[in-house]
Amino acid sequence: MNTFPLAPLIRPFGPPSPQGEGMNGAYINKSDKYEFEKEKPMLFDTHAHLDDRAFEADRETLITGLPEKGVGLVMNPGCSLESSRNAVALAQKYPHVYAAVGSHPDVADEVNETVLEEYRKLCKLPKVMAIGEIGID
């Protein structure tokens, strides 16, 4: 079973209280206290589609430049088995990129037991954190 390695990076909303706790009174990782005024918030792009052909010309530059622009984490969803495999490959290549795997309803006719078994295998990989793109939005 995968654990969620991003949890220690998640910070509470709002500035710390005088006691050093977030607005909800707790940190996910007590050792991860910060000073709101001094630290620039990290952004997490939860739906990037970095394998899209629109990024073919500058994908490497775009992805490697995200952390310096404040985007510390990226979830890159697949829309088909092929794009899910591409999402996993990008996640394995870049430390700040994670993958979601799935088939969008537009390609639902491709889904069969063989494809589902491939998704099950992909879900066991450490950088696969979610099921998606599956069209629930």
Side-chain angles (χ1 to χ4, degrees):
M1 179 177 192
N2 281 349
T3 58
F4 191 62
L6 308 180
L9 302 174
I10 298 171
R11 296 188 171 108
F13 291 104
S17 69
Q19 293 78 29
E21 297 176 338
M23 288 178 63
N24 63 359
Y27 282 87
I28 291 176
N29 180 349
K30 288 278 189 187
S31 67
D32 194 29
K33 293 186 178 186
Y34 67 101
E35 293 185 41
F36 187 77
E37 296 80 17
K38 293 182 181 178
E39 185 173 314
K40 183 178 180 180
M42 177 189 66
L43 301 175
F44 183 172
D45 186 336
T46 62
H47 202 107
H49 294 290
L50 296 170
D51 60 308
D52 190 282
R53 66 177 158 246
F55 299 117
E56 284 179 11
D58 63 348
R59 183 176 291 113
E60 176 79 18
T61 302
L62 172 77
I63 296 172
T64 58
L66 289 172
E68 68 188 41
K69 302 286 188 205
V71 181
L73 297 169
V74 178
M75 180 66 69
N76 188 37
C79 294
S80 65
L81 182 56
E82 178 185 0
S83 70
S84 292
R85 287 177 175 150
N86 291 340
V88 170
L90 289 172
Q92 291 172 331
K93 184 175 181 179
Y94 301 99
H96 56 288
V97 176
Y98 290 82
V101 299
S103 292
H104 190 275
D106 289 346
V107 294
D109 58 338
E110 82 167 9
V111 180
N112 56 44
E113 193 55 43
T114 302
V115 170
L116 292 175
E117 185 56 34
E118 288 300 311
Y119 285 140
R120 287 183 192 102
K121 289 177 186 175
L122 291 172
C123 285
K124 292 178 183 178
L125 298 173
K127 296 282 300 268
V128 176
M129 294 291 128
I131 304 297
E133 171 94 46
I134 55 174
I136 293 180
D137 57 350

